[in-house]
Amino acid sequence: MSTLQIDFGHAKPRIVGIDLGTTNSLVAVMDLTGPRILSGIVPSVVSVTSSGEVIAGSEAREMLITHPERTVYSVKRLMGRGMADVQDELKLFPFRIAENSESVLKLQLGDKVMTPPEISAHVLRKLKEDAEDVLGAPVTQAVITVPAYFNDAQRQATKDAGRIAGLDVLRLVNEPTAAALAYGLDKRKEGIVAVYDLGGGTFDISILRLHDGIFEVLATSGDTHLGGDDIDNLLLQIALEDIQSEWGENVSDNAGLVQLLRRAVIQAKEALSFAPSAWIDLEYGPRKYQREIDVQLFNRLIEPIVERTLGPCRSCIKDAGVTVEQLNEVVMVGGLTRIPLVRSAVERLFRKRPHTELNPDEVVALGAAVQAGILGGEVADKLLLDVTPLSLGIETMGGLMSKLIHRNSTIPASATELFTTAVDGQTNVLIHVLQGERELVKDCRSLARFDLKEIEPMIAGMARIQVRFLIDANGILNVTAKDLRSGKEQSMDVKPSYGLTDDQVEAMILESYDKAEEDFKERQVREARVEADAILGATDKAREDDAYQALSEEDRAAIDRAMNELRLAYHSDDHLLIRNQIEKLNQATMSLAEAIMNEAVGKALKGTNINA
Amino acid sequence: MKFYDALGLEPKLALDSDDVKKRFYDRSRQWHPDRFSRASSEEKQRSEEMTAVLNDAFRALRDPVTRAEYFLRESGLELSKDAPPELLEEVFDLNMALEELRGGDESARPQLAAAQERFTGMLGDADASLAEYFTNYDEKPDRAVLDEIHATLNRRRYVSNLVREVEKELNVHSAN
Ligand SMILES: Nc1ncnc2c1ncn2[C@@H]1O[C@H](COP(=O)(O)OP(=O)(O)OP(=O)(O)O)[C@@H](O)[C@H]1O
Ligand SMILES: [Mg+2]
């Protein structure tokens, strides 16, 4: 990489686009030729090693089987949620909730306790580092995608995760909308398109109108707890029951086995998209479990899940004020849209063959990169006008919800309300802000309580406090209040119902800086040193080999010289210099390595047992 | 009026919907926060405020009914929730029929379907007369016309709630 490194020193810092998925995460960037994925898929799994280090990605996914008690997956399901929300999840997922989880959910991972945003931050940090390695420059700004149907708390939690990971989150973009951007659908100057996104944990449907580069979302709907995880859990249940009857033993408490089985189940599920039948195949020590599942059975199992996506589709069409006939295109996003039953259900409902040209795993990240390009100014001809998925309101007398901003309103959107006091001398007014479509407060989602305080005592009804509710372009609520009598800003306390306060996030940012966050350059140096250690160690060992003695004096001197030079460079903090010397040592030891290799192959061949 | 200002329009009741749309898109392109991500925080905030008002304005003005409601509110006229007196008798009969259908009496269905059709027709009539009042008022802002609009809107709102309710009942019961 070092030789090909392009100097970005004078260029604007790059904004990356990140798809922070339930199962898989990806990072992409906008190039002159279009959006480009920067590194491979990063599984959204986080694990704590025995030495207390936190790792994320493929390595962590391996730990699911070896150390299930210190590893967590699908944490997106817990973002912005409270204890009461996750009771159902807890039955199906091996989440271990730590004590003191009343105000903010906390997970126990080994001896570490982490909130969902902190856990997601580790996935984000991994993506950030991958991106930095490819770009050869620090990355500090990002666009992150969220399910369109995410509520305020879930969005806020995602933004918090970004901040904790050291990223300035310039925008949250809805996943289906991002996909529409990536699909280049705007080649059609005018048109109406639907995006159907069924992933690992969430389902979204959005309908957009395209107009000369403007992507105007007309309506969106979905379910933030519907996806591949649910299919996995169904199959897992069946397999566990099978095993119970075959082995005469309930193994559902054996977390390692369950994870191994979950992996086997996922393999079968994915294979069934391309084959008429597949095996769930488990080997656990000396014991085996095998079961064939054919497509007919699989379809019967998942039909209710597929069916659950169609209701939101119908209401979205209605809310968008369009008919099925008016829709020009349907786009499929998310790993689950590879399932033939899903495709045929969508085709039947929308009466058109859906687009599946782009890789459904990558399209959201690519779209996030396009949005990053829009924000960075490189993409000038596109603009996204998104909507808020849920109505926003306040609690009024009798436990009723009074709507201020209706769902599917284009964001930013705002509303103002005038508040006053009800009794003489009252100095506080409490505003309870909610999100949801139902009439009763108890059926809506509590967002926060705002306490307008230090109101000047006066006769009831005299105070005039104007409160402005603004849903910003990220879909996040901002509230400001003004005392109309004095014209001054009204002071208030905010208590979010779920999630972290600003102070808590700040503390986590500091903590993550202390422990894990390193400056990009430092990391480059550290990585170069790790490589240097490896090659120096290997060379030292090789020098004890007979092959070393067999080298010419000249060759041996060259190796020694290169080793010394690398050791000198080692303590500089210039990673390019270190890598340069590594490369030189590599060259110098080329013939030595070859000689040793031949020797080893020779030995290996001699020892080969033909019966093995 | 703030919403008209946001779209750069004269406060008229009759608007060309294509023109309103075009103004909305053009201004969105200029004002949207996406265009200000590298600007100062004051500029960012201003863009957010302006876009929020622009979005609110487009939502209110693109549809003739919500537009007229906004126009009236700005002129100090609030819509009422009461049944228009001239409809009282008919609504009384309708509620009886709805009760019967809810109680399982299918013989009420034809009557309801007929009422449904009549009310839907009324909505169409209301829209047509609104359009006429709009041009009249725009030409000569006469308070009497505004009052006519006010009455029409009240009636329209009431009738449209009725239509929705009847439709719901007819569907619920045809489903079983
Ligand atoms: N060939 C396939 N057949 C069926 N399912 C598949 C296939 N390939 C992937 N999947 C499933 O798709 C899901 C992952 O999809 P995707 O990567 O789109 O989700 P995600 O973006 O991580 O989640 P979300 O968008 O819901 O947060 C997993 O459940 C995975 O098992
Ligand atoms: Mg996804």
Side-chain angles (χ1 to χ4, degrees):
Chain A
M1 184 186 88
S2 52
T3 45
L4 285 174
Q5 208 161 46
I6 302 159
D7 183 13
F8 281 103
H10 306 288
K12 280 190 287 188
R14 305 280 285 259
I15 308 170
V16 294
I18 292 178
D19 173 7
L20 183 61
T22 309
T23 320
N24 299 312
S25 297
L26 278 111
V27 56
V29 75
M30 193 68 190
D31 272 342
L32 287 175
T33 49
R36 161 170 72 109
I37 298 285
L38 280 182
S39 74
I41 285 177
V42 171
S44 309
V45 183
V46 169
S47 185
V48 178
T49 66
S50 47
S51 57
E53 199 195 335
V54 184
I55 54 174
S58 318
E59 259 183 282
R61 191 171 55 182
E62 291 312 308
M63 301 269 290
L64 257 182
I65 286 153
T66 54
H67 296 93
E69 76 291 349
R70 294 198 248 116
T71 311
V72 56
Y73 66 95
S74 293
V75 77
K76 188 169 170 181
R77 293 182 92 107
L78 303 185
M79 294 286 269
R81 315 219 102 212
M83 203 50 183
D85 305 320
V86 299
Q87 290 311 314
D88 286 344
E89 309 277 315
L90 293 180
K91 289 188 205 121
L92 296 166
F93 291 86
F95 298 129
R96 289 155 303 275
I97 303 291
E99 282 173 32
N100 301 323
S101 281
E102 291 73 37
S103 56
V104 187
L105 217 54
K106 298 185 189 77
L107 296 193
Q108 187 81 44
L109 294 176
D111 49 17
K112 269 204 166 44
V113 170
M114 289 196 273
T115 60
E118 286 173 285
I119 294 169
S120 297
H122 284 283
V123 177
L124 289 173
R125 197 173 288 126
K126 171 89 174 84
L127 294 164
K128 172 178 179 321
E129 290 175 4
D130 284 358
E132 289 174 339
D133 286 345
V134 178
L135 293 173
V139 166
T140 56
Q141 296 183 314
V143 168
I144 302 181
T145 62
V146 290
Y149 214 55
F150 253 19
N151 66 29
D152 183 87
Q154 291 168 307
R155 286 168 195 268
Q156 190 62 58
T158 307
K159 214 174 164 195
D160 292 344
R163 280 173 68 197
I164 297 168
L167 288 169
D168 184 6
V169 182
L170 298 186
R171 173 79 79 247
L172 297 176
V173 187
N174 294 331
E175 286 160 13
T177 335
L181 275 178
Y183 246 96
L185 294 165
D186 51 328
K187 291 204 187 70
R188 153 196 289 287
K189 267 188 96 119
E190 304 279 335
I192 296 178
V193 301
V195 183
Y196 177 103
D197 178 356
L198 188 56
T202 56
F203 169 64
D204 279 326
I205 172 81
S206 290
I207 294 178
L208 298 90
R209 192 208 323 268
L210 308 182
H211 171 85
D212 246 343
I214 289 190
F215 291 68
E216 181 190 8
V217 179
L218 298 176
T220 190
S221 188
D223 186 334
T224 55
H225 285 80
L226 183 59
D229 283 347
D230 299 284
I231 297 181
D232 302 346
N233 286 333
L234 275 179
L235 293 172
L236 195 58
Q237 229 42 55
I238 292 178
L240 282 171
E241 277 164 29
D242 275 0
I243 290 180
Q244 163 127 29
S245 64
E246 277 178 32
W247 300 2
E249 189 185 331
N250 183 357
V251 294
S252 51
D253 288 337
N254 181 338
L257 189 151
V258 170
Q259 287 313 314
L260 209 55
L261 189 57
R262 201 175 77 89
R263 181 187 283 190
V265 151
I266 291 172
Q267 269 165 7
K269 171 189 73 175
E270 294 180 359
L272 279 166
S273 292
F274 310 107
S277 83
W279 288 85
I280 301 176
D281 203 335
L282 173 83
E283 224 172 291
Y284 190 72
R287 299 209 268 193
K288 275 194 169 80
Y289 163 73
Q290 284 191 315
R291 176 192 176 129
E292 193 175 13
I293 301 236
D294 64 18
V295 165
Q296 284 74 31
L297 172 63
F298 181 69
N299 284 352
R300 229 180 308 132
L301 278 175
I302 68 167
E303 205 187 286
I305 291 176
V306 179
E307 191 58 41
R308 269 174 67 194
T309 67
L310 301 182
C313 289
R314 292 192 192 97
S315 57
C316 189
I317 296 173
K318 192 155 169 265
D319 286 352
V322 299
T323 61
V324 169
E325 291 73 30
Q326 284 174 296
L327 289 171
N328 302 104
E329 334 235 2
V330 180
V331 172
M332 299 288 249
V333 186
L336 249 58
T337 60
R338 292 199 177 92
I339 299 177
L341 186 74
V342 173
R343 290 190 179 179
S344 60
V346 172
E347 184 166 344
R348 203 157 349 105
L349 180 72
F350 289 98
R351 285 180 238 145
K352 25 216 65 63
R353 169 136 309 170
H355 282 276
T356 52
E357 298 91 327
L358 290 189
N359 183 340
D361 302 328
E362 292 183 348
V363 56
V364 170
L366 293 173
V370 176
Q371 178 65 29
I374 294 174
L375 296 180
E378 295 99 50
V379 180
D381 58 342
K382 292 191 200 344
L383 180 67
L384 201 62
L385 303 178
D386 221 316
V387 300
T388 179
L390 298 158
S391 299
L392 182 103
I394 51 175
E395 175 166 357
T396 56
M397 297 267 246
L400 292 180
M401 140 101 155
S402 158
K403 284 183 190 166
L404 299 178
I405 299 175
H406 288 263
R407 71 159 189 268
N408 294 323
S409 295
T410 307
I411 50 175
S414 66
T416 43
E417 277 284 300
L418 206 55
F419 291 87
T420 186
T421 47
V423 288
D424 293 350
Q426 187 179 340
T427 55
N428 287 56
V429 171
L430 205 63
I431 307 173
H432 185 195
V433 182
L434 308 146
Q435 227 173 5
E437 308 313 318
R438 306 278 295 276
E439 274 170 29
L440 296 181
V441 167
K442 69 174 178 54
D443 297 322
C444 292
R445 180 113 192 126
S446 171
L447 288 191
R449 287 181 163 78
F450 294 84
D451 185 6
L452 307 176
K453 55 179 194 180
E454 292 156 24
I455 298 170
E456 206 185 307
M458 57 187 111
I459 300 169
M462 288 290 283
R464 305 190 77 69
I465 298 161
Q466 190 181 56
V467 180
R468 183 163 160 79
F469 302 86
L470 179 104
I471 300 180
D472 67 15
N474 303 306
I476 291 180
L477 174 67
N478 299 265
V479 175
T480 48
K482 199 159 105 183
D483 181 342
L484 289 186
R485 294 169 62 96
S486 68
K488 276 194 291 203
E489 194 180 316
Q490 167 70 42
S491 67
M492 59 182 169
D493 283 335
V494 190
K495 278 190 221 82
S497 309
Y498 302 94
L500 305 164
T501 62
D502 232 25
D503 290 344
Q504 285 172 314
V505 175
E506 289 297 332
M508 287 170 185
I509 294 172
L510 284 180
E511 199 177 336
S512 73
Y513 267 110
D514 286 350
K515 294 196 186 128
E517 186 66 18
E518 282 168 304
D519 162 50
F520 171 64
K521 197 159 169 249
E522 259 174 65
R523 189 160 53 80
Q524 299 274 78
V525 172
R526 182 169 53 100
E527 282 171 6
R529 284 188 187 146
V530 169
E531 243 175 78
D533 281 335
I535 189 167
L536 284 170
T539 316
D540 261 335
K541 222 171 133 220
R543 276 166 44 153
E544 284 157 24
D545 200 288
D546 294 341
Y548 178 71
Q549 294 308 328
L551 290 179
S552 73
E553 187 144 340
E554 210 175 303
D555 281 352
R556 278 186 305 201
I559 291 177
D560 291 353
R561 197 168 49 244
M563 283 181 89
N564 279 335
E565 277 172 7
L566 177 55
R567 286 203 179 99
L568 277 178
Y570 191 91
H571 294 288
S572 77
D573 44 13
D574 182 350
H575 70 276
L576 290 180
L577 185 65
I578 303 176
R579 289 200 184 275
N580 235 328
Q581 295 303 339
I582 290 177
E583 192 46 43
K584 280 196 186 147
L585 181 55
N586 247 334
Q587 295 290 339
T589 54
M590 197 94 89
S591 49
L592 174 60
E594 232 164 71
I596 293 177
M597 182 70 85
N598 289 339
E599 203 181 273
V601 171
K603 271 188 204 148
L605 285 179
K606 251 186 255 160
T608 307
N609 181 342
I610 307 169
N611 297 324
Chain B
M1 293 184 203
K2 185 164 112 178
F3 285 172
Y4 284 92
D5 293 344
L7 285 156
L9 288 163
E10 292 289 314
K12 298 270 182 198
L13 278 163
L15 296 177
D16 170 16
S17 73
D18 284 340
D19 177 52
V20 174
K21 226 187 255 174
K22 184 174 176 324
R23 286 166 182 271
F24 170 65
Y25 287 141
D26 286 349
R27 273 151 211 256
S28 291
R29 268 187 241 272
Q30 287 173 29
W31 297 353
H32 196 275
D34 282 7
R35 297 274 181 258
F36 293 85
S37 77
R38 291 182 195 259
S40 69
S41 73
E42 290 88 66
E43 274 182 297
K44 269 188 202 162
Q45 205 179 340
R46 226 169 79 85
S47 133
E48 191 149 71
E49 290 287 331
M50 285 170 68
T51 315
V53 176
L54 177 69
N55 288 337
D56 300 343
F58 181 54
R59 202 159 34 247
L61 298 190
R62 66 180 158 190
D63 174 71
V65 173
T66 53
R67 184 194 314 147
E69 283 172 0
Y70 171 72
F71 198 98
L72 287 182
R73 252 198 324 276
E74 290 293 300
S75 317
L77 293 170
E78 286 296 329
L79 293 186
S80 84
K81 291 201 165 80
D82 302 336
E86 69 274 19
L87 288 178
L88 275 181
E89 200 173 328
E90 201 161 350
V91 168
F92 183 79
D93 289 345
L94 182 76
N95 278 335
M96 295 258 288
L98 279 174
E99 273 313 310
E100 283 166 23
L101 186 67
R102 281 190 198 114
D105 183 355
E106 282 294 316
S107 69
R109 188 175 288 279
Q111 187 193 343
L112 281 173
Q116 171 85 334
E117 211 179 297
R118 202 165 49 254
F119 285 132
T120 312
M122 276 187 204
L123 284 183
D125 293 347
D127 290 344
S129 39
L130 276 179
E132 205 170 306
Y133 292 139
F134 285 0
T135 11
N136 290 348
Y137 186 83
D138 287 343
E139 266 168 31
K140 198 156 126 322
D142 189 345
R143 175 67 197 217
V145 182
L146 215 52
D147 287 337
E148 286 293 343
I149 293 176
H150 190 197
T152 313
L153 280 179
N154 272 339
R155 205 150 81 116
R156 196 193 181 285
R157 169 136 104 181
Y158 190 82
V159 172
S160 115
N161 284 341
L162 282 182
V163 168
R164 206 171 316 133
E165 202 174 327
V166 175
E167 189 174 82
K168 202 172 79 195
E169 289 301 329
L170 285 174
N171 283 337
V172 167
H173 292 273
S174 67
N176 320 332

